[in-house]
Amino acid sequence: SQQGEEDPQALSIQEGENATMNCSYKTSINNLQWYRQNSGRGLVHLILIRSNEREKHSGRLRVTLDTSKKSSSLLITASRAADTASYFCATPGNQFYFGTGTSLTVIP
Amino acid sequence: GAGVSQSPSNKVTEKGKDVELRCDPISGHTALYWYRQSLGQGLEFLIYFQGNSAPDKSGLPSDRFSAERTGGSVSTLTIQRTQQEDSAVYLCASSLEAVQETQYFGPGTRLLVL
């Protein structure tokens, strides 16, 4: 069964605003990864945060991890229309569990 | 190759026919994964290979689904006697080694069963 669950399911913001997506998971993890998907095709890896890390930055992306709450958040700052996509969190276990995704729409 | 490739890009078939989907992972990646994604849904894990063996086949939806990997490289996902509910995008990914590693995805095969 899937382990990651994102919320919100859908998010619509104006260009320039920040977008925050959350992910909850069920069991202990070694790391948590965020991926992006455009137009229902292949996913692109965005960022990996390890279980002993609390925050990580990559460009306009900021990821936090709270292992006590079994949750993570992805923040996209100064959003652009090109950020419009679906975003998934993934937790490796004995297989790879992907959440249900957050569909982000950035309005120009 | 530079990335994961999948073929065909799109496949339309009639109910009851068999289909074969192919995945070429990144050279040197020992782990390979198959997922299914129905319209507007998340990813459903199907199977993964470490080398040529599949430690976890629990995600295969039915015995109509099978997969193999030869030479630690190319993998084929076969769906026998296709049903309309098999219509989905089938995604393949590879990673350098184990399940914990970052996955690199192919563009997917969009399957439509009429």
Side-chain angles (χ1 to χ4, degrees):
Chain A
S1 61
Q2 288 186 331
Q3 177 165 235
E5 298 291 334
E6 289 92 342
D7 98 274
Q9 290 189 338
L11 180 61
S12 184
I13 59 174
Q14 294 288 330
E15 199 166 34
E17 293 181 338
N18 295 342
T20 300
M21 290 158 267
N22 303 295
C23 166
S24 61
Y25 57 92
K26 296 178 182 176
T27 64
S28 60
I29 59 170
N30 179 274
N31 68 67
L32 184 143
Q33 302 176 26
W34 284 90
Y35 289 79
R36 166 195 166 125
Q37 184 181 37
N38 287 78
S39 305
R41 286 294 193 174
L43 279 70
V44 175
H45 178 259
L46 294 176
I47 195 166
L48 180 154
I49 186 166
R50 301 199 181 279
S51 59
N52 61 354
E53 298 176 306
R54 292 295 168 261
E55 188 170 314
K56 198 163 184 178
H57 297 252
S58 176
R60 293 184 296 112
L61 305 180
R62 173 181 165 238
V63 170
T64 63
L65 179 64
D66 187 336
T67 53
S68 66
K69 294 182 180 177
K70 292 186 168 55
S71 68
S72 173
S73 67
L74 171 67
L75 168 68
I76 304 174
T77 60
S79 63
R80 305 167 182 168
D83 295 330
T84 295
S86 291
Y87 292 82
F88 295 86
C89 67
T91 51
N94 57 354
Q95 51 172 269
F96 232 87
Y97 300 98
F98 281 84
T100 50
T102 292
S103 176
L104 172 66
T105 301
V106 180
I107 303 166
Chain B
V4 179
S5 60
Q6 292 186 245
S7 60
S9 299
N10 295 281
K11 177 71 177 179
V12 180
T13 190
E14 293 179 350
K15 178 181 171 181
K17 301 278 190 183
D18 297 352
V19 295
E20 206 169 82
L21 312 179
R22 177 188 167 105
C23 173
D24 262 292
I26 292 173
S27 179
H29 280 195
T30 63
L32 183 149
Y33 316 79
W34 283 100
Y35 298 90
R36 178 170 73 174
Q37 186 177 33
S38 300
L39 189 62
Q41 301 297 310
L43 273 70
E44 176 188 4
F45 169 81
L46 298 179
I47 189 171
Y48 94 92
F49 291 89
Q50 184 62 46
N52 290 335
S53 64
D56 188 348
K57 300 181 180 179
S58 62
L60 292 176
S62 73
D63 58 9
R64 296 186 296 104
F65 287 73
S66 63
E68 65 174 16
R69 188 181 186 194
T70 55
S73 182
V74 172
S75 176
T76 302
L77 177 68
T78 301
I79 309 173
Q80 296 178 307
R81 306 180 302 282
T82 52
Q83 303 294 313
Q84 289 182 332
E85 60 263 28
D86 299 334
S87 297
V89 176
Y90 289 81
L91 292 162
C92 174
S94 70
S95 66
L96 193 58
E97 291 183 2
V99 176
Q100 300 287 336
E101 297 286 325
T102 297
Q103 298 194 357
Y104 297 86
F105 281 80
T109 293
R110 193 178 303 275
L111 174 67
L112 177 61
V113 182
L114 300 175

